[in-house]
Amino acid sequence: MRLAPAPLRLSRSPALLALALPLAAALAFSDETLDKVPKSEGYCSRILRAQGTRREGYTEFSLRVEGDPDFYKPGTSYRVTLSAAPPSYFRGFTLIALKENREGDKEEDHAGTFQIIDEEETQFMSNCPVAVTESTPRRRTRIQVFWIAPPVGTGCVILKASIVQKRIIYFQDEGSLTKKLCEQDSMFDGVTDKPILDCCACGTAKYRLTFYGNWSEKTHPKDYPRRANHWSAIIGGSHSKNYVLWEYGGYASEGVKQVAELGSPVKMEEEIRQQSDEVLTVIKAKAQWPAWQPLNVRAAPSAEFSVDRTRHLMSFLTMMGPSPDWNVGLSAEDLCTKECGWVQKVVQDLIPWDAGTDSGVTYESPNKPTIPQEKIRPLTSLDHPQSPFYDPEGGSITQVARVVIERIARKGEQCNIVPDNVDDIVADLAPEEKDEDDTPETCIYSNWSPWSACSSSTCDKGKRMRQRMLKAQLDLSVPCPDTQDFQPCMGPGCSDEDGSTCTMSEWITWSPCSISCGMGMRSRERYVKQFPEDGSVCTLPTEETEKCTVNEECSPSSCLMTEWGEWDECSATCGMGMKKRHRMVKMSPADGSMCKAETSQAEKCMMPECHTIPCLLSPWSEWSDCSVTCGKGMRTRQRMLKSLAELGDCNEELEQVEKCMLPECPIDCELTEWSQWSECNKSCGKGHMIRTRMIHMEPQFGGAPCPETVQRKKCRVRKCLKNPSIQKLRWREARESRRSEQLREESEGEPFPGCRMRPWTAWSECTKLCGGGIQERYMTVKKRFKSSQFSSCKDKKEIRACNVHPC
């Protein structure tokens, strides 16, 4: 279909031209033409008056505000998502925010402001700057923008979206494409926008969190720290609504502060484990050095965790280092759906936020505590001109990371009434085997090694591994697959290929101990992933119970301890190693005695045989001392490659660096250079001369104090004569001598060759009234002789000290 050019007069931007075609084909605008309405507000009103297909109760497309709030806080930033349920999609869209009961014809009808997150996906409309539309005409299933809530007194706001798909426009005044938010009363400041609903899902679900850092010099070039850029270790947990790890508008705990400023998760993990009744899984993942790496070089940090009906929220955070107190993360992400099921996948782009504990404005600002502590808030592009994210036009901050949370398994009877499009109740966590080798031709490998021995010596499921070496990568832009391959296995006599063998899932985490003090019982479960092909019954147990001791005795002298945490990873990557687990003191003995219960346990762990694994590393060494004795420095720790180098390259890092902070360095007193010595203060007999210097910087933080600023030394011009007549005679002789000397200098050219000088001027006023000042006087050239060939015929200057008495 060809558009007539005259009636619409649209902007020539590709996005608007792309939107114009389906609009013209599907809509009937009002009788007024666009020519009769100013572009600045007319086109906005035309968007709102567009008459298109409306389908009641249609949920193919949805407009969602992060957290699903019913109220907004004035000035707060909210993430708005417009999405289509697969397999549907949309080509064009419009997003706008209006005050309630307004038509949008006037500028004051619109509420709040939008901020673009991805300029390749979204842009502001040329003829309606308050509205957001697509940047490029293509199929899409999801877009995101930020909406900054309007100031106090605005009242309720309506967020509206329109969708263009196959030349049909969906625009709803009510339904899934419209969201109403009302202004939150000031008495509720600091309270969560919307109470988190109770979860109605059944069973448990297991998720994998993967963190993709996108903070690089290419994406964020201003002042990018090239040497020490990194993401700290990830720390978080799956928890109930009764526990808040961190949240916007709240205050950072000591644990959050240590992650935010130092990248240390130790205190944060301690705080999480103290809430053992409210936390199901502690989420931990390794740090990433440097902050951005291609995925074919190193796998993105990831961690697995579980949720259940009471602990269905997930929070985590990681520090952007170096920085004053900047982090990214999620707070209370609800993985339980309103349909009593478990969310299948969450993909969230992250921007940095400020913990409110340090007032630095650049990546490497010196430590400057924020007193009093401020609330946690997202960073903006208008925070400070020296900020690396500063934008005078107030644009959005480019996302620095993306987190993907994928459901990988469910356990137990599920009760969601809307079925998932993928049934993963018995999902196999191992990757599917491929019939064909999809290795790129640009990746040159050695042959696969033989399979290692199975890590399990019983009929419990284990793993075995084989490896190959990457000899050459001919094209660095094409990623090469992994050099290690894992396969499930069982011990001798327990073949997976036996038709009468059950395939069982991994054991689910142990349940809490049945009692809080003394000896109790706990259990864990697993399920049948695949029944025997011959139709026989599975006889392998699906439940195990064991005794557990939370506190050995329950007397006034006993400690109240938390339950044991999960076992850490094995200290060895192959062969025999050690693993540890920890617990904490929940309550000290009531009688005030010392707590004697152990807080850590260690046991041996067996990994696949070492001869098949080339990358065998020693444990990390202790952190070195800080590189400085005061102020801000760095510290390192190392580990060694224990396997033979000829077995293949090892890409694991052998050294880690993190920043450390010691007390401020002392600053010594700084002085200027000494002035010239003054003239003798006596014309005859004994006198003295002085010289002075000034204080340039006072001492700080215990630095060396300032030494003397005035020095004196004796001087003696000549003896004073007692007989006045003889003295006058001597003065007359001296005057005649000086006059003859002056005539000789003019004739012989010394000490001012080739010139005649004017007499010295009078001394200038002293620069200080006391404490040592300076006076100056000058001698200027009166006449230069034609025969002069010397450069010493110049103006002269003398300086002397004055008013040297103390103030």
Side-chain angles (χ1 to χ4, degrees):
M1 180 180 291
R2 177 177 297 177
L3 287 177
L8 286 176
R9 292 189 180 180
L10 293 173
S11 165
R12 292 187 178 183
S13 71
L16 291 179
L17 290 175
L19 185 60
L21 180 62
L23 281 173
L27 302 180
F29 289 92
S30 61
D31 294 336
E32 296 175 308
T33 64
L34 294 178
D35 293 303
K36 296 181 181 180
V37 186
K39 288 184 179 181
S40 61
E41 57 187 42
Y43 194 76
C44 292
S45 63
R46 287 303 169 273
I47 295 173
L48 297 171
R49 287 184 225 159
Q51 300 297 317
T53 304
R54 298 184 183 180
R55 298 166 67 171
E56 297 297 331
Y58 196 65
T59 58
E60 180 180 6
F61 306 105
S62 63
L63 177 68
R64 179 176 179 264
V65 179
E66 185 177 26
D68 293 326
D70 293 327
F71 301 91
Y72 68 85
K73 296 179 183 177
T76 302
S77 176
Y78 295 89
R79 188 188 302 268
V80 179
T81 303
L82 184 61
S83 59
S88 299
Y89 63 90
F90 54 95
R91 293 183 179 275
F93 72 91
T94 305
L95 184 61
I96 203 163
L98 288 177
K99 297 177 184 176
E100 192 174 25
N101 300 322
R102 297 292 183 92
E103 296 296 326
D105 293 334
K106 302 176 183 178
E107 184 177 350
E108 57 266 24
D109 290 353
H110 300 272
T113 56
F114 288 105
Q115 281 190 352
I116 302 299
I117 295 178
D118 187 348
E119 294 182 352
E120 294 183 359
E121 288 286 335
T122 54
Q123 67 175 12
F124 292 105
M125 264 192 171
S126 299
N127 287 17
C128 182
V130 293
V132 178
T133 186
E134 74 279 359
S135 295
T136 55
R138 66 174 182 84
R139 291 189 179 195
R140 52 176 53 80
T141 59
R142 184 171 178 266
I143 65 97
Q144 288 188 331
V145 296
F146 282 118
W147 178 67
I148 312 300
V152 176
T154 303
C156 293
V157 176
I158 309 295
L159 292 171
K160 291 187 175 185
S162 63
I163 293 292
V164 178
Q165 181 207 39
K166 298 179 182 178
R167 300 184 180 179
I168 300 173
I169 186 168
Y170 301 95
F171 194 90
Q172 297 175 323
D173 291 329
E174 295 180 356
S176 60
L177 287 176
T178 298
K179 177 70 176 177
K180 179 179 177 180
L181 298 175
C182 290
E183 184 177 346
Q184 180 174 292
D185 196 300
S186 59
M187 67 179 291
F188 295 105
D189 285 350
V191 181
T192 305
D193 290 337
K194 180 180 179 181
I196 299 172
L197 299 178
D198 291 334
C199 178
C200 57
C202 302
T204 62
K206 192 171 186 178
Y207 288 87
R208 179 183 292 114
L209 177 152
T210 308
F211 181 84
Y212 300 97
N214 191 39
W215 175 46
S216 66
E217 190 171 11
K218 181 179 179 181
T219 59
H220 299 80
K222 183 180 178 183
D223 299 333
Y224 187 76
R226 296 184 178 182
R227 290 182 296 175
N229 60 85
H230 69 281
W231 295 104
S232 72
I234 292 173
I235 184 67
S238 56
H239 57 93
S240 71
K241 63 181 181 180
N242 299 324
Y243 176 45
V244 177
L245 276 76
W246 72 272
E247 65 176 345
Y248 293 137
Y251 289 97
S253 65
E254 181 61 29
V256 172
K257 177 182 177 182
Q258 289 194 15
V259 174
E261 295 188 13
L262 304 175
S264 171
V266 176
K267 182 64 177 178
M268 187 70 191
E269 182 178 355
E270 179 183 333
E271 292 178 352
I272 295 172
R273 293 193 184 278
Q274 285 176 343
Q275 300 288 332
S276 57
D277 295 338
E278 308 295 338
V279 176
L280 181 59
T281 308
V282 177
I283 299 172
K284 297 165 65 177
K286 61 185 178 181
Q288 182 172 325
W289 293 75
W292 179 86
Q293 288 183 343
L295 291 181
N296 63 325
V297 175
R298 183 178 180 184
S302 64
E304 296 181 1
F305 64 94
S306 299
V307 292
D308 59 19
R309 176 177 287 192
T310 58
R311 293 159 291 190
H312 52 95
L313 306 178
M314 189 279 296
S315 303
F316 83 94
L317 65 159
T318 175
M319 173 204 182
M320 172 190 287
S323 71
D325 58 348
W326 301 340
N327 288 244
V328 299
L330 292 180
S331 174
E333 183 72 21
D334 196 349
L335 299 176
C336 183
T337 67
K338 296 179 180 178
E339 294 79 20
C340 301
W342 298 110
V343 173
Q344 192 164 359
K345 188 174 184 179
V346 176
V347 179
Q348 199 73 275
D349 291 322
L350 305 175
I351 62 169
W353 49 267
D354 189 310
T357 61
D358 193 296
S359 300
V361 296
T362 64
Y363 290 125
E364 299 183 274
S365 293
N367 188 36
K368 186 180 180 183
T370 301
I371 301 175
Q373 184 174 331
E374 296 178 352
K375 293 181 179 180
I376 298 173
R377 64 172 184 84
L379 292 177
T380 72
S381 59
L382 295 174
D383 286 337
H384 195 280
Q386 295 181 2
S387 167
F389 308 109
Y390 181 71
D391 179 0
E393 297 180 358
S396 60
I397 294 178
T398 303
Q399 56 95 5
V400 296
R402 170 174 290 183
V403 62
V404 178
I405 303 170
E406 296 180 276
R407 194 181 72 205
I408 56 177
R410 290 183 295 180
K411 186 262 178 183
E413 182 179 354
Q414 304 294 308
C415 58
N416 54 313
I417 57 177
V418 179
D420 296 322
N421 55 3
V422 176
D423 185 7
D424 63 345
I425 294 180
V426 292
D428 193 341
L429 304 188
E432 296 182 2
E433 294 185 2
K434 298 181 180 179
D435 296 333
E436 299 181 2
D437 186 6
D438 59 355
T439 301
E441 295 180 357
T442 55
C443 300
I444 309 300
Y445 290 96
S446 66
N447 293 327
W448 285 107
S449 68
W451 287 104
S452 70
C454 190
S455 62
S456 173
S457 59
T458 67
C459 288
D460 288 337
K461 203 159 191 178
K463 289 182 180 180
R464 63 177 182 171
M465 189 198 76
R466 63 177 181 173
Q467 64 180 20
R468 58 182 176 178
M469 290 190 295
L470 179 62
K471 293 183 175 181
Q473 187 174 359
L474 305 181
D475 186 352
L476 296 178
S477 64
V478 178
C480 292
D482 295 334
T483 57
Q484 292 182 339
D485 186 19
F486 293 90
Q487 188 180 75
C489 62
M490 286 187 271
C494 305
S495 172
D496 280 338
E497 298 176 359
D498 186 354
S500 62
T501 302
C502 293
T503 303
M504 306 297 291
S505 72
E506 301 290 338
W507 286 104
I508 302 298
T509 306
W510 286 103
S511 68
C513 200
S514 59
I515 61 174
S516 60
C517 188
M519 181 76 73
M521 298 296 293
R522 65 175 184 173
S523 63
R524 65 175 183 175
E525 298 176 331
R526 61 180 178 178
Y527 53 88
V528 179
K529 294 175 68 173
Q530 183 174 340
F531 286 90
E533 295 179 1
D534 59 6
S536 59
V537 179
C538 280
T539 59
L540 295 175
T542 58
E543 184 174 1
E544 282 185 349
T545 59
E546 70 174 17
K547 295 180 180 179
C548 55
T549 302
V550 180
N551 297 280
E552 296 181 358
E553 53 179 305
C554 303
S555 63
S557 62
S558 63
C559 299
L560 185 59
M561 308 293 293
T562 63
E563 289 192 55
W564 287 106
E566 295 294 326
W567 287 103
D568 295 339
E569 293 183 2
C570 193
S571 61
T573 56
C574 66
M576 183 70 72
M578 298 295 293
K579 61 181 180 181
K580 294 182 179 181
R581 65 176 180 175
H582 306 273
R583 64 177 178 176
M584 300 177 62
V585 178
K586 205 169 187 179
M587 185 180 297
S588 299
D591 59 5
S593 60
M594 294 293 293
C595 188
K596 299 179 181 179
E598 62 179 0
T599 57
S600 62
Q601 284 184 346
E603 69 175 26
K604 295 179 181 179
C605 51
M606 176 63 73
M607 300 298 287
E609 294 181 16
C610 290
H611 68 270
T612 63
I613 300 179
C615 193
L616 183 59
L617 300 167
S618 68
W620 285 107
S621 67
E622 295 295 327
W623 285 105
S624 67
D625 293 334
C626 200
S627 61
V628 296
T629 56
C630 59
K632 188 175 182 180
M634 304 299 292
R635 64 176 187 171
T636 61
R637 65 175 183 176
Q638 296 85 23
R639 58 182 176 181
M640 297 179 61
L641 180 64
K642 297 170 67 176
S643 55
L644 298 177
E646 56 265 22
L647 292 179
D649 294 334
C650 180
N651 294 325
E652 292 293 330
E653 59 183 351
L654 300 179
E655 183 176 27
Q656 286 184 346
V657 183
E658 71 175 15
K659 67 181 181 181
C660 50
M661 178 64 71
L662 296 176
E664 296 285 353
C665 296
I667 300 176
D668 296 337
C669 176
E670 292 185 11
L671 301 167
T672 61
E673 295 294 329
W674 286 106
S675 66
Q676 297 293 328
W677 286 101
S678 68
E679 291 185 345
C680 196
N681 68 334
K682 296 290 182 65
S683 58
C684 66
K686 294 181 180 180
H688 67 267
M689 299 185 296
I690 66 166
R691 64 174 181 175
T692 61
R693 56 181 175 181
M694 312 296 291
I695 297 177
H696 182 65
M697 179 177 290
E698 296 285 352
Q700 300 181 50
F701 309 116
C706 294
E708 61 182 356
T709 56
V710 178
Q711 283 186 348
R712 304 186 185 195
K713 72 176 180 178
K714 296 179 180 179
C715 59
R716 183 169 182 173
V717 180
R718 61 179 177 274
K719 291 184 178 180
C720 294
L721 299 178
K722 296 181 180 180
N723 191 329
S725 60
I726 297 176
Q727 186 174 2
K728 289 180 181 180
L729 179 62
R730 294 279 179 86
W731 285 351
R732 188 179 300 112
E733 291 175 353
R735 186 166 57 251
E736 293 296 332
S737 176
R738 284 197 299 272
R739 185 176 300 165
S740 62
E741 182 69 22
Q742 182 177 357
L743 293 175
R744 186 166 64 253
E745 286 174 357
E746 291 180 359
S747 62
E748 297 178 359
E750 292 183 1
F752 308 112
C755 62
R756 182 177 298 163
M757 308 297 288
R758 289 188 175 89
W760 286 102
T761 63
W763 289 101
S764 64
E765 291 186 3
C766 193
T767 57
K768 286 189 176 182
L769 297 176
C770 60
I774 293 175
Q775 288 179 299
E776 298 176 340
R777 68 175 184 175
Y778 300 87
M779 176 187 287
T780 57
V781 176
K782 183 176 183 182
K783 181 179 180 181
R784 287 184 175 85
F785 299 114
K786 293 182 179 180
S787 60
S788 173
Q789 296 181 355
F790 301 91
S791 60
S792 60
C793 187
K794 297 180 180 179
D795 294 342
K796 309 296 178 184
K797 176 182 176 181
E798 284 187 351
I799 301 174
R800 72 176 183 184
C802 56
N803 294 340
V804 297
H805 56 278
C807 294

